[in-house]
Amino acid sequence: SLRIRGCAGIDSISALEHHTLPQLRVLNVDQNNIRSLPSLEGYSSLERLSLEGNWIGRRGYPSIAKLLQKGTPPVKSLDLTFTGMRDLEAELIADSLRRNTSLNHLRLEGNRVNDGGRRAFLKLLCDVSSIKNTCNSNHTLRSIELPRSLDPGLVPMFNYIDIAMITNKAYGGNPRAVSRAKVVETQLCSYTRMKLSRLQLVECRYSSILPQIEPVLLPNVLAMVGDVHGQSELYRMLNATVSDLASIVNKKTALKERMADNESRILTLNTEYAREKSALLVEYERRLAALSAGNLHQTAALAAENSKLQKELEYIG
């Protein structure tokens, strides 16, 4: 391993590009002033790379993205904590990992990663915009340590990121099994697909995924939905299937069923909105009460001190 740590005067490790260390497995350049990453193709055995505490910023992240996109060297663990990452850089790193098959662990704490960055990593792990994109999601990452938040509204986002990584870990080494599991768990479950679609800002309709399934496979898919997700989910999928087959159903009935399904979904969305709104209001009231109590305590203490000082002034004359 090679460790260069805590040297503020080091702002470049470009010299590494001109050397070849094929046996080096760990490179730690924490707490320096490095702004970009040189090509490390000569380090064919490098598995762990740590850049913690280097304020890389917007200019340096493309070099890291290039390394991840090429997959050379095949880094398995990457530490980017406290490196100046924001949403734009997070989206760049997530995009570079779409075809990466080596990175297992990624640390991003201490950065300002917000909705855009979190959404990019969720979509990286399980893209529900189509069955094909779900199958082509990243099936290698097993842990991403993102900056966490106390906002209860963000809990679903973090939960689904964690679930996708658990699935990757459970079927590690078998991309086909991982992609199949993700399709079954997300695309073929209307509730999960609706939640993920909302988080990823994509359309959610069962009828939009049915044309993606080979007709000869549809009976098997329907049977699997019933086995895995239950009869109610099977009914919803069949309902969507029937409305698509306009040549063998009454058009008017199909439209009414679609309207009823939309009304049901509207009710579900409104219920979830009310529940999440209530949770946020409770948290707001709690924080406001704590803030008010702290303010009252401090102002009372200062007022008491002023009163004491006033008495001293009067005594002095």
Side-chain angles (χ1 to χ4, degrees):
S1 65
L2 176 61
R3 185 177 185 181
I4 307 171
R5 191 175 192 274
C7 301
I10 297 179
D11 60 2
S12 172
I13 53 173
S14 59
L16 294 177
E17 188 172 358
H18 306 298
H19 299 276
T20 300
L21 296 173
Q23 303 304 317
L24 186 68
R25 300 172 68 88
V26 179
L27 177 58
N28 185 320
V29 288
D30 293 351
Q31 307 296 330
N32 297 301
N33 197 27
I34 295 166
R35 300 290 178 172
S36 65
L37 196 66
S39 171
L40 297 174
E41 292 187 9
Y43 298 74
S44 56
S45 298
L46 188 63
E47 294 182 351
R48 294 177 58 188
L49 174 62
S50 179
L51 295 165
E52 177 188 351
N54 293 282
W55 199 258
I56 296 169
R58 184 171 298 180
R59 292 186 178 181
Y61 267 99
S63 62
I64 299 174
K66 184 178 180 180
L67 180 146
L68 295 172
Q69 196 168 27
K70 294 179 70 174
T72 308
V75 175
K76 294 182 179 179
S77 175
L78 177 61
D79 190 340
L80 296 175
T81 54
F82 296 96
T83 51
M85 175 183 285
R86 299 196 178 203
D87 279 357
L88 186 65
E89 292 78 36
E91 292 168 7
L92 179 65
I93 294 300
D95 187 63
S96 71
L97 288 169
R98 291 195 176 279
R99 297 292 179 268
N100 184 288
T101 58
S102 60
L103 192 69
N104 297 140
H105 308 287
L106 178 62
R107 294 189 61 193
L108 302 175
E109 306 102 315
N111 293 299
R112 298 183 64 181
V113 179
N114 296 311
D115 281 352
R118 288 187 288 263
R119 184 176 298 112
F121 281 108
L122 175 59
K123 201 165 186 178
L124 166 72
L125 291 163
C126 190
D127 185 347
V128 296
S129 59
S130 70
I131 290 179
K132 181 179 179 181
N133 287 340
T134 302
C135 292
N136 289 334
S137 299
N138 181 289
H139 305 319
T140 307
L141 273 170
R142 299 183 183 183
S143 72
I144 302 178
E145 297 179 26
L146 285 163
R148 295 281 170 163
S149 171
L150 296 176
D151 186 350
L154 296 176
V155 171
M157 177 82 76
F158 286 116
N159 284 347
Y160 282 118
I161 289 174
D162 291 341
I163 290 170
M165 289 188 296
I166 289 171
T167 304
N168 284 355
K169 188 175 182 180
Y171 297 90
N174 191 339
R176 185 174 180 179
V178 182
S179 61
R180 182 181 184 278
K182 287 182 180 179
V183 169
V184 173
E185 293 167 5
T186 62
Q187 295 285 2
L188 302 183
C189 178
S190 59
Y191 176 79
T192 302
R193 188 162 180 263
M194 178 187 70
K195 295 286 288 186
L196 283 169
S197 296
R198 287 178 60 190
L199 292 171
Q200 297 181 22
L201 306 180
V202 298
E203 183 186 24
C204 175
R205 286 185 181 277
Y206 247 145
S207 57
S208 67
I209 69 168
L210 293 175
Q212 303 173 50
I213 302 173
E214 291 289 337
V216 69
L217 298 177
L218 193 55
N220 292 333
V221 171
L222 292 171
M224 182 169 56
V225 169
D227 291 339
V228 176
H229 299 301
Q231 296 301 310
S232 59
E233 189 64 33
L234 176 60
Y235 169 77
R236 280 189 284 270
M237 194 170 191
L238 284 170
N239 193 40
T241 306
V242 169
S243 64
D244 273 355
L245 302 176
S247 61
I248 59 173
V249 298
N250 181 281
K251 187 70 174 179
K252 187 175 181 180
T253 301
L255 291 174
K256 287 182 178 180
E257 288 177 350
R258 175 61 63 82
M259 290 173 64
D261 181 59
N262 287 343
E263 290 295 332
S264 176
R265 292 171 60 204
I266 289 171
L267 180 61
T268 300
L269 289 171
N270 287 337
T271 301
E272 283 197 31
Y273 167 78
R275 180 180 60 78
E276 293 183 10
K277 178 182 177 182
S278 177
L280 288 172
L281 287 174
V282 169
E283 177 65 14
Y284 170 77
E285 291 293 340
R286 184 188 68 77
R287 293 188 182 183
L288 182 60
L291 181 63
S292 298
N295 181 68
L296 183 62
H297 176 74
Q298 292 180 25
T299 54
L302 291 171
E305 184 180 356
N306 276 351
S307 178
K308 183 178 179 180
L309 292 172
Q310 180 63 36
K311 288 181 180 179
E312 290 184 14
L313 284 172
E314 292 173 356
Y315 177 77
I316 293 172

